[in-house]
Amino acid sequence: MPISPAAPRLAFAAAGFLLAVTTATTALAAPPPHPAPAPARMAAAPPHSGPAPARSAAGAGAGAGAGATDQATWYAPLSTRGRYIVDAHGDRFRLKGANWDGAQGSWTGSGSADDPANHHAGQDSHGIPLGLDRAPLPRLLADFHALGVNTIRLPFSNEMIHSTAPVPDGAVAANPQLRGRTPLEIYDAVVDALSGSGFAVVLNNHTNTSRWCCGIDGNERWNSGQTTGRWADDWVFMARRYASVPGVVGADLYNEVRRDVLDDPNWGLGDGHDWYDAARLAADRILTEANPRLLVVIEGINWTGVPVDGLPHGRPVLTPARTLSHTLVDSHKLVYSAHFYGYTGPHHSGATGIGETHDARYQDLSRTDLAATLDDEAFFVEETGRHYTAPVWVSEFGIGSNETNAAARTWFGNVTDYFADHDADFAFWPLVGFEGHDDWALLRYDTAGHRFGILDAGDWRATAWQHLTTAPGRTGAVASVPVWRMLTTDHGDAVASLRVRATGDWDPGAHKAACPDGSRLAGLSHTGGHGLCTDTGAGDLRAADARQTVVTDERHVPAGGDWASGYTKYQCPADEFLIGYSLRGARVSAALCVPARTALPGTGRTVWFDRSDNRPADAAGGDFAYGQYKGQCAAGEYAAGIAFTTRVGARPGPAALLCRALP
């Protein structure tokens, strides 16, 4: 979310570092005990068993502003096909969105929380979406439709979930039916109203405590002030709560993960600050314990390092996904997310004064350099046929209507042109604000409920906004594309197959990896425990039955079939193929095989990779084990065996694959 450039985002020089955190981490009142999971919202309706219309033609008259589009019916749930999000019929659904903030908190962290002056832009949200004191819900929703948006990113805080105190009556003055309700109950009503009006709703865990984000404020990481387990518990609670609301389509796991005073977040180190690992845990629990229909949105790392010239610092965004991407139990539910604001930069915190460095801001970049930077930091993820391929949602960007800086205005035109040209999914920050307080808001309301903003003549942002919301893009059916996904046992098990999980622990004490259901093992690394999965060339090759074979010896190597002389060979039985493997330390422990739905050819070739890389010329799937030797079967092949050695002085990791032609 934006903060005035005059007030630093992550603005701390060495001299002011401890003072900043002392102020920012002032303890709020402890939240009450975690409530028991509530029944799913709209519980009178049965859980979705198939596509349900999430928007009807009745919504077509909801507003007539510039850019009012996307009034056609779409069908929940949403999923992904390559770089695109699609609805339940396989038609493209582009997230054209905005952020309806407030439920994440607005208090700035200093002074009395009862004084509106101590809230962002003087707007006390009372921990609920802004504007409910100024306009009735139906009026707000009609105005949202007039903007041309179809998706609402709806932030919340963990503190909001646990709050049991009703909001003041004045906070919902224009919606008296909401009086006496807690923030969570009002959030319920907003979610139901948005869904009923045809919007796609993405739940966003924005903050831990209900206060304004995003500096040194106690909300830097998902586990600032709480355990990772508690954070994941809250996500299971929220995903279950809205499981039967058809418009709730996504879980945006955490907002702008960044450095606190002493420590950086990381992507794959396996410690308590590992965002890669935490996101994988939460995604797994959401999809297996709460609501398998949801998209899981994983944002890149927003900031690491200390913003002082000469010290390392920067904005990694999604660049770590190039070498370590997420594999979920459903290969069609992952969406990556990034934020871009003109006054921040690839190595600029966005601060003015304390915390400001001499690095370029995004608004300082030429149109060409900005496009190259956006590609490098985020949009490379949409490249076809890689282990990281996924849609990219720019879930925050924005600028104020009162902005006079020429560079900032030029940036806004350039970035919206880029999004339009790249058919990007997006969400503006923010959607709603108070007139005279927050000129960034697309829509602003005064105390009498009069609306101001980008739908009015004279808002300089309107031209770029209309271009973005009405630019032609991919529509209609999106063809299925091959899936490539990475496995890694760096931090423990990586069993992404629900069918395998249902059979129990197939190699106790070992680190195990298994491909998501519908895919097969295509590649392995010699060291590091990485694997590559795909469904290319054959789709789901596995037979319908639940059989699987754990191979721990050479009994399935036929006489005269020594395809890796001098090496131990774990080979699948006839008509079975590899979907997983296990390691004890660096040594191969077992191969996991499953029967195919059709007879499989019995001849093949040996792909060695213990002394160099050995992958197909097209490098399909991308580098799934960066910096390590690796081997990979061709797109028209399946893996039927793993060879390794236990001789003294040799590395005991995978050394060769037996690759055979697909039927």
Side-chain angles (χ1 to χ4, degrees), residues 6 38 131 194 291 331 505 571 580 601 628:
L194 287 168
N291 186 355
S331 293
D505 191 340
Q571 183 173 333
Q628 300 160 358

Side-chain angles (χ1 to χ4, degrees), residues 48-282:
H48 265 22
S49 57
R55 179 173 229 152
S56 68
T69 59
D70 294 306
Q71 301 300 335
T73 299
W74 60 277
Y75 293 83
L78 302 182
S79 57
T80 68
R81 290 184 180 176
R83 64 141 291 187
Y84 295 107
I85 295 169
V86 298
D87 75 359
H89 285 179
D91 292 332
R92 167 79 186 287
F93 184 81
R94 184 183 181 195
L95 301 184
K96 294 183 173 183
N99 288 265
W100 192 1
D101 80 300
Q104 84 285 353
S106 56
W107 180 56
T108 58
S110 61
S112 171
D114 295 328
D115 184 350
N118 297 324
H119 291 253
H120 172 70
Q123 302 174 147
D124 185 351
S125 72
H126 297 284
I128 61 175
L130 284 164
L132 297 176
D133 59 334
R134 302 187 171 215
L137 259 172
R139 164 77 186 285
L140 291 169
L141 300 181
D143 290 347
F144 300 170
H145 281 298
L147 287 170
V149 300
N150 60 23
T151 302
I152 302 299
R153 183 176 184 246
L154 197 63
F156 68 88
S157 73
N158 297 90
E159 185 178 353
M160 182 209 76
I161 298 173
H162 303 283
S163 176
T164 59
V167 302
D169 287 352
V172 290
N175 291 274
Q177 75 278 13
L178 301 179
R179 288 177 182 167
R181 300 194 190 186
T182 66
L184 180 57
E185 290 169 339
I186 292 172
Y187 194 90
D188 291 342
V190 167
V191 168
D192 287 344
L194 287 168
S195 177
S197 188
F199 289 102
V201 180
V202 179
L203 311 176
N204 163 235
N205 184 199
H206 209 80
T207 52
N208 301 327
T209 60
S210 292
R211 61 160 294 181
W212 187 255
C213 164
C214 289
I216 303 299
D217 53 21
N219 292 306
E220 297 85 4
R221 289 188 296 275
W222 65 97
N223 58 356
S224 296
Q226 63 181 358
T227 66
T228 296
R230 177 60 175 268
W231 171 70
D233 286 345
D234 280 352
W235 257 122
V236 171
F237 171 83
M238 291 293 279
R240 285 177 177 168
R241 189 173 185 88
Y242 305 108
S244 65
V245 182
V248 175
V249 298
D252 184 346
L253 297 183
Y254 201 71
N255 184 73
E256 296 191 5
V257 174
R258 57 197 180 278
R259 182 189 175 95
D260 62 12
V261 175
L262 299 176
D263 297 293
D264 284 327
N266 67 79
W267 190 285
L269 293 184
D271 60 13
H273 297 159
D274 184 349
W275 174 228
Y276 167 84
D277 219 25
R280 185 170 63 169
L281 167 69

Side-chain angles (χ1 to χ4, degrees), residues 266-270 274-280 298 300-301 317-327 334 336 380-381 387-389 485-491 494 528-531 621-626 628:
N266 67 79
W267 190 285
L269 293 184
D274 184 349
W275 174 228
Y276 167 84
D277 219 25
R280 185 170 63 169
I298 300 176
I301 294 179
V317 198
L318 292 171
T319 53
R322 276 196 177 93
T323 55
L324 186 61
S325 60
H326 288 83
T327 295
L334 173 65
Y336 280 120
F380 72 89
V381 169
H387 62 80
Y388 48 72
T389 302
R485 288 292 179 256
M486 168 191 286
L487 296 175
T488 173
T489 59
D490 291 352
H491 310 140
H530 284 225
D623 192 340
F624 63 93
Y626 184 76
Q628 300 160 358

Side-chain angles (χ1 to χ4, degrees), residues 15 35 96 121 147 208 310 313 315 335 372 377 513 517 620 651 654:
K96 294 183 173 183
L147 287 170
N208 301 327
H313 56 267
R315 199 175 301 281
V335 174
E377 294 184 345
D517 292 326
R651 294 181 181 273

Side-chain angles (χ1 to χ4, degrees), residues 411-506:
W411 167 84
F412 188 66
N414 288 342
V415 82
T416 50
D417 283 350
Y418 179 96
F419 297 160
D421 293 344
H422 285 72
D423 197 11
D425 299 270
F426 62 87
F428 190 95
W429 183 284
L431 174 56
V432 175
F434 297 170
E435 172 63 11
H437 290 259
D438 188 357
D439 72 297
W440 280 62
L442 289 172
L443 302 172
R444 306 185 303 276
Y445 297 86
D446 66 16
T447 55
H450 299 124
R451 189 196 72 201
F452 303 83
I454 204 165
L455 295 177
D456 302 330
D459 192 315
W460 70 271
R461 304 171 298 173
T463 299
W465 176 255
Q466 184 174 7
H467 172 56
L468 176 58
T469 56
T470 61
R474 177 73 176 268
T475 60
V478 176
S480 296
V481 295
V483 171
W484 299 90
R485 288 292 179 256
M486 168 191 286
L487 296 175
T488 173
T489 59
D490 291 352
H491 310 140
D493 289 353
V495 179
S497 166
L498 295 177
R499 296 180 68 180
V500 172
R501 290 187 190 185
T503 66
D505 191 340
W506 51 275

